[in-house]
Amino acid sequence: MGANTAETALPDTLQRLTDHLTATYAGLLTPAVVRKVVQDCYQPLSNARIANYVPILVEHNSRTRLRGLARRPDPTAPLREKSDRARGHLVTTAVRRLRLALTRSAPAPRP
C-alpha cells in the first residue's frame, strides 16, 4: 500500500504539539525555545520502528524539559542532559521502557 499514515501525519502532529506548548508557555518561554526543545526531544525517536507512540513520548519529554526551563532564571541557557529518574515514578519508568522498545533494531530473521 501507500506510505504509512502514522509517518506522514507525524510532522503535523509535532507542529500541533509545538503550537500547543508555545501557547501553554507563552508568558514564560519564547516560541523559538519551545520549538528547539520539541525538535531535540523528537530527534532521538525520529527513526523509531513504531511511530504511533512517538508524539506521546515527544510530548512527555518536551513538557518535562519545558517545566525545568520555566523554573530557571535564564530559560535560554543551554539544557544540561540529566536523568529524570525519580524513584517509584511509574510513568517515567514506563516511558523509558517504551522508548527503549521503540528504538530497538528489528529482530534477526529466524532460519
Side-chain angles (χ1 to χ4, degrees):
M1 289 195 188
N4 184 350
T5 56
E7 291 175 9
T8 57
L10 197 56
D12 293 335
T13 303
L14 292 178
Q15 183 59 47
R16 284 194 305 271
L17 172 63
T18 303
D19 293 343
H20 178 70
L21 291 174
T22 300
T24 302
Y25 290 94
L28 303 170
L29 302 169
T30 65
V33 170
V34 174
R35 187 171 38 258
K36 176 75 170 126
V37 168
V38 172
Q39 289 172 352
D40 289 348
C41 291
Y42 171 67
Q43 188 58 39
L45 301 171
S46 62
N47 293 325
R49 289 186 307 142
I50 302 170
N52 294 343
Y53 299 106
V54 170
I56 296 167
L57 295 171
V58 171
E59 181 176 5
H60 175 76
N61 292 337
S62 296
R63 284 186 184 278
T64 301
R65 287 187 181 187
L66 290 171
R67 271 189 232 114
L69 283 176
R71 286 187 230 127
R72 296 174 70 163
D74 181 13
T76 59
L79 285 174
R80 276 184 288 162
E81 290 294 325
K82 68 176 189 173
S83 175
D84 62 346
R85 297 180 192 192
R87 288 185 189 176
H89 196 278
L90 297 177
V91 173
T92 302
T93 303
V95 168
R96 192 177 317 118
R97 287 180 182 162
L98 183 58
R99 184 183 315 135
L100 179 64
L102 289 172
T103 56
R104 284 188 181 151
S105 61
R110 294 183 180 177

